[in-house]
Amino acid sequence: DCGGSWAEQHLTLTNDQLTESFRKRVIPAAVPGTCYAYSNFGFMILGRVISVAARMRSLDFISREFLTPLSMTSTTWYVPLKNAVQG
């Protein structure tokens, strides 16, 4: 078992808490090369970079700059309660 994904375990952190967690060493879920587990860790870091550079939540920036201009009206940041397939 490779353990759970670091990013998914930290989705509820505030920006300040996330920044503080990046100051600590991230411990791999398993010895490299022994198993595979998908992780959104890189996207968590990218989101934090965007929020610092744009001085707004990365979700708001991405929505404003990409999703809205592309008319991606069905794209959401949260799993809807109905009419959605969950993994």
Side-chain angles (χ1 to χ4, degrees), residues 45-57:
I45 294 172
L46 176 60
R48 189 63 184 118
V49 168
I50 290 170
S51 67
V52 169
R55 294 192 170 115
M56 63 174 34
R57 291 181 347 134

Side-chain angles (χ1 to χ4, degrees), residues 11-78:
L11 286 174
T12 59
L13 295 181
T14 65
N15 279 340
D16 289 339
Q17 291 170 323
L18 188 60
T19 297
E20 184 60 32
S21 72
F22 288 153
R23 290 188 172 103
K24 301 172 187 168
R25 182 172 179 250
V26 175
I27 299 170
V31 175
T34 62
C35 63
Y36 173 80
Y38 179 80
S39 175
N40 284 316
F41 182 70
F43 288 108
M44 293 286 284
I45 294 172
L46 176 60
R48 189 63 184 118
V49 168
I50 290 170
S51 67
V52 169
R55 294 192 170 115
M56 63 174 34
R57 291 181 347 134
S58 57
L59 304 181
D60 296 335
F61 178 82
I62 292 167
S63 293
R64 185 187 77 193
E65 297 297 320
F66 298 101
L67 303 180
T68 300
L70 292 171
S71 299
M72 296 178 72
T73 58
S74 296
T75 301
T76 67
W77 293 106
Y78 309 97

